[in-house]
């Protein structure tokens, strides 16, 4: 009687597992709550994952963003945004023309936030020396410009 032996690769003894560069932690955005489609649970998961990055000291923010425009410049920016129909000033108050808050919108969260790209681009066009840029590409991870 012959026994059949299945060929296999012997385990390597020369490949030690290296420790990871960063300590792994459980991401709340990988959990079931985030994937249910419930916007409130999803928002909570994202904010929990952001953790300490939610707070930036004001003086650090001012250094990054730069000086605020004067009141006259702010009024001019507001007028220009109203003229190009990005901003609406009517009896309900000042609001972004194409943006409906997701809580009151009947569309998906992705479609509800889509108009913000155009709104932000128009604001940045009004303040050309802001040193801020914006690119909406939800399918690609952001790259650091420091590398």
């Amino acid at each position: 009687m012959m026994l059949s032996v299945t060929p296999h690769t012997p385990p390597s003894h020369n490949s030690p597992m290296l420790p990871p560069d960063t300590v792994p932690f459980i991401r709340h955005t990988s959990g079931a709550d985030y994937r249910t489609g419930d916007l409130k649970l999803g928002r909570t998961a994202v904010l929990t994952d952001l953790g300490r990055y939610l707070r930036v000291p004001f003086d650090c923010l001012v250094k990054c963003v730069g000086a605020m425009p004067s009141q006259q410049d702010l009024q001019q920016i507001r007028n220009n945004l109203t003229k190009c129909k990005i901003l609406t000033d009517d009896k309900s108050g000042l609001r972004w023309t194409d943006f409906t808050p997701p809580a009151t919108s009947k569309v998906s969260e992705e479609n509800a936030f889509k108009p913000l790209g155009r709104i932000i681009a128009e604001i940045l066009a009004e303040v050309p020396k802001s040193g801020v840029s914006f690119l909406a590409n939800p399918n690609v991870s952001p790259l650091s410009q420091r590398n």
Side-chain angles (χ1 to χ4, degrees):
M1 174 160 50
M2 288 191 72
L3 294 174
S4 72
V5 178
T6 305
H8 67 277
T9 304
S12 174
H13 299 290
N14 298 331
S15 60
M17 188 137 179
L18 297 174
D21 290 342
T22 57
V23 178
F25 66 94
I26 297 171
R27 295 192 188 280
H28 292 82
T29 51
S30 298
D33 283 351
Y34 179 75
R35 295 169 188 241
T36 62
D38 183 325
L39 294 181
K40 187 172 184 179
L41 291 174
R43 225 175 273 118
T44 303
V46 169
L47 293 174
T48 303
D49 281 353
L50 287 174
R52 67 185 178 97
Y53 298 104
L54 290 176
R55 296 190 179 140
V56 176
F58 182 74
D59 57 338
C60 178
L61 181 63
V62 170
K63 286 179 189 172
C64 292
V65 174
M68 281 288 292
S70 68
Q71 278 303 117
Q72 184 177 1
D73 289 343
L74 286 174
Q75 188 60 46
Q76 184 63 38
I77 291 168
R78 180 178 170 172
N79 293 343
N80 290 346
L81 291 173
T82 304
K83 189 186 304 180
C84 66
K85 298 188 188 314
I86 295 294
L87 201 55
T88 301
D89 194 1
D90 57 18
K91 62 182 176 189
S92 64
L94 202 57
R95 63 182 177 80
W96 302 114
T97 305
D98 293 339
F99 182 70
T100 303
T104 59
S105 176
K106 303 264 189 252
V107 298
S108 70
E109 190 172 31
E110 182 178 332
N111 288 333
F113 284 106
K114 201 173 269 184
L116 286 181
R118 182 172 159 255
I119 292 169
I120 292 169
E122 291 290 337
I123 293 169
L124 294 176
E126 289 295 322
V127 190
K129 295 178 184 174
S130 67
V132 177
S133 62
F134 174 77
L135 175 65
N137 189 349
N139 301 318
V140 178
S141 297
L143 299 174
S144 171
Q145 292 181 349
R146 296 184 203 187
N147 295 336

